[in-house]
Amino acid sequence: MAIAKAEVFVTSPGRNFVVLRITTDDGIVGLGDATLNGKELVTAEYLKSIAPFLIGKNEDNIEDIWQYLYKGAYWRRGPVTMASISAVDVALWDIKAKKAGVPLYDLLGGASRRGLLVYAHASGVDYPSLYDSIDGYLDKGFKAVRVQFALPGIPSTYGVAASANAKTGKGESSRYDFEPARRSQVPVEEVWDAQTYMTTLPKVFENVRNKYGDQLLLLHDAHHRMSPNQAAAFAKRIEPYNLFWLEDCTPAEENPNYLRVVREHTTTPLAIGETINSYTDYLQLIRENLIDYVRSAVTHTGGITHMKKIMSYAEFYGIKSGFHGPTDISPVGQAANFQLDMAIPNFGIQEVMQYTPQTLDVFHTSFTLEDGYVHLDAKKPGLGVDFDEKEAAKYPYQPAPLPVDRLLDGTMHEW
Ligand code: CS2
Ligand code: MG
């Protein structure tokens, strides 16, 4: 009973993914995801450097291996370390559940719900394309949509599909999948203007509410772009439109106290966390009830072992989950989100986006989406995802750094 092999793969079936495959001496295989958007080769190298440490260790001792990698790193936390530890952790949980012959959530306490409420990404360069995008998701049964809208006079806006007819390949359209990897050697530059944003978006939410009524669960991502006071004013202004959440209203990862300013002025629910990755980052946010939803991905936050602890702490403060699940998290990482989502009592909602057909040729998933809920296959042991190494080899790594942002006068700003 020991780890025999730990192999690292980088593949790019539409965007870059880092896969860790651990094999035990009796041939059981577990998968982990160490994808860190724009920094894939860095986590791949980290994993290669710790792979020899794993050989010969008892694969059952997940907590001990976690502590070994975390405390043993000495240079603690940070996105690269935490994403890499996460890949090992998730692969070991996959193995443990396969050995037990049960879906992973069974080992985490069992199913706490029938299915997972998910939200999709709607966006528009104008109202017809926004409504078309929302209608498309409602037709598919979604109950919750994130709404992003192009800013007038700004060439491209975060979260807004550049073209309503963009195709992802194989003739299948993913019209409003806004964030295809932008493959280039150097980052694409975008422009940001808070004044335009703060005057445009409240009208968008008002129009969407008037058109679709009160039942639609409406989300929005501000992507860390307002100052604390701007965020407070904005969140207060949009209260009448009753958002499910406002995400990353201000860069609270810089200073959690920013959120106190926001909280003092508004009851709009706040979601934070896709760029933070440890309990240390969450301590104050949770203890002072500065957030309503934990937004990290399991794969960026030390895996199932660490994320489950954060969610247990959050439970006692009435804070729920809303794990990060865009297409730059691989289907292996998304499966880790889903498995934990199923088990925890304080599940809130789960983000989903459409993977390219090539991605789904490389990763064979077993999840179904019906009526706005994701369902896991109770008969599939482990994570519920298989990795096709031969198919993956068809798609070599291509550089795709994240974009950067500047203000109208050229000053650098958070993207
Ligand atoms: C976004 C992400 O899904 C989200 O909420 O903020 O798309 C984010 O921009 C990317 O994951 C960056 O890698
Ligand atoms: Mg986000």
Side-chain angles (χ1 to χ4, degrees):
M1 302 270 277
I3 295 172
K5 260 196 290 186
E7 301 159 283
V8 183
F9 304 87
V10 180
T11 178
S12 195
R15 54 191 322 148
N16 296 314
F17 297 117
V18 182
V19 180
L20 173 70
R21 185 171 68 191
I22 293 182
T23 310
T24 63
D25 54 5
D26 43 6
I28 299 168
V29 166
L31 298 173
D33 172 22
T35 309
L36 196 57
N37 195 4
K39 295 283 178 274
E40 300 85 2
L41 297 184
V42 186
T43 46
E45 270 317 302
Y46 193 109
L47 282 177
K48 285 179 202 160
S49 78
I50 59 171
F53 309 172
L54 302 174
I55 309 304
K57 287 207 163 35
N58 182 341
E59 73 273 10
D60 279 333
N61 297 339
I62 301 179
E63 180 72 42
D64 182 65
I65 293 176
W66 196 96
Q67 299 292 339
Y68 180 92
L69 296 175
Y70 180 79
K71 295 188 171 135
Y74 187 69
W75 312 111
R76 293 209 189 153
R77 298 185 285 275
V80 174
T81 302
M82 295 306 277
S84 304
I85 295 177
S86 167
V88 175
D89 183 79
V90 170
L92 294 179
W93 277 107
D94 191 19
I95 289 171
K96 202 184 256 302
K98 282 176 180 161
K99 280 163 71 168
V102 296
L104 176 40
Y105 64 78
D106 237 23
L107 301 184
L108 306 173
S112 288
R113 52 197 50 81
R114 286 189 297 276
L116 308 173
L117 176 70
V118 292
Y119 73 89
H121 286 218
S123 70
V125 289
D126 50 27
Y127 281 103
S129 62
L130 176 63
Y131 295 154
D132 188 32
S133 167
I134 296 174
D135 289 343
Y137 289 118
L138 296 184
D139 288 349
K140 287 185 183 143
F142 280 92
K143 308 271 181 279
V145 289
R146 183 185 105 152
V147 165
Q148 308 291 132
F149 196 75
L151 300 183
I154 305 282
S156 81
T157 309
Y158 163 79
V160 179
S163 151
N165 293 312
K167 303 255 183 197
T168 53
K170 283 196 175 171
E172 263 194 51
S173 117
S174 169
R175 288 178 300 167
Y176 300 99
D177 196 341
F178 73 94
E179 230 177 51
R182 290 194 255 180
R183 288 162 159 166
S184 59
Q185 286 295 334
V186 293
V188 171
E189 295 210 1
E190 294 185 347
V191 178
W192 172 245
D193 180 45
Q195 179 68 13
T196 311
Y197 171 81
M198 290 177 67
T199 49
T200 304
L201 267 295
K203 285 191 203 121
V204 173
F205 300 143
E206 184 182 1
N207 289 335
V208 169
R209 266 284 169 249
N210 286 340
K211 184 165 164 61
Y212 293 96
D214 291 333
Q215 286 305 312
L216 177 67
L217 303 177
L218 191 57
L219 297 84
H220 177 70
D221 190 350
H223 224 255
H224 333 259
R225 292 186 186 182
M226 289 179 281
S227 70
N229 189 58
Q230 285 172 335
F234 183 81
K236 189 170 163 184
R237 203 176 294 169
I238 63 174
E239 267 176 19
Y241 316 119
N242 192 22
L243 263 61
F244 183 95
W245 78 34
L246 171 63
E247 178 186 345
D248 287 331
C249 58
T250 189
E253 59 277 6
E254 300 293 329
N255 180 351
N257 291 326
Y258 287 3
L259 290 176
R260 291 190 200 198
V261 181
V262 183
R263 278 293 207 216
E264 273 166 23
H265 296 282
T266 180
T267 55
T268 293
L270 304 178
I272 293 279
E274 70 183 37
T275 60
I276 63 179
N277 45 57
S278 74
Y279 79 97
T280 315
D281 301 305
Y282 274 108
L283 278 180
Q284 187 188 345
L285 294 173
I286 293 173
R287 192 178 57 234
E288 296 183 16
N289 270 102
L290 296 175
I291 57 173
D292 300 283
Y293 294 93
V294 166
R295 267 295 283 155
S296 296
V298 167
T299 50
H300 292 155
T301 317
I304 301 272
T305 298
H306 196 61
M307 195 58 145
K308 191 167 191 308
K309 292 177 188 178
I310 293 172
M311 290 316 301
S312 294
Y313 184 49
E315 180 188 344
F316 302 117
Y317 290 83
I319 296 168
K320 294 187 174 184
S321 70
F323 297 153
H324 190 214
T327 42
D328 50 89
I329 306 277
S330 87
V332 171
Q334 187 70 308
N337 283 335
F338 290 167
Q339 295 289 345
L340 189 56
D341 285 337
M342 272 302 276
I344 54 176
N346 49 338
F347 169 75
I349 199 166
Q350 174 62 55
E351 178 181 26
V352 292
M353 283 178 79
Q354 188 179 317
Y355 287 113
T356 64
Q358 293 91 334
T359 299
L360 297 174
D361 288 343
V362 172
F363 299 94
H364 304 161
T365 62
S366 56
F367 315 109
T368 49
L369 176 69
E370 208 188 306
D371 222 16
Y373 291 84
V374 159
H375 296 279
L376 277 59
D377 183 349
K379 296 204 176 68
K380 180 96 180 159
L383 274 176
V385 180
D386 297 314
F387 173 63
D388 185 332
E389 180 183 348
K390 283 210 181 86
E391 199 61 32
K394 292 185 188 164
Y395 304 102
Y397 169 80
Q398 294 185 40
L402 279 163
V404 296
D405 230 3
R406 290 186 188 277
L407 300 180
L408 295 173
D409 69 356
T411 307
M412 280 300 300
H413 194 269
E414 280 86 1
W415 178 66

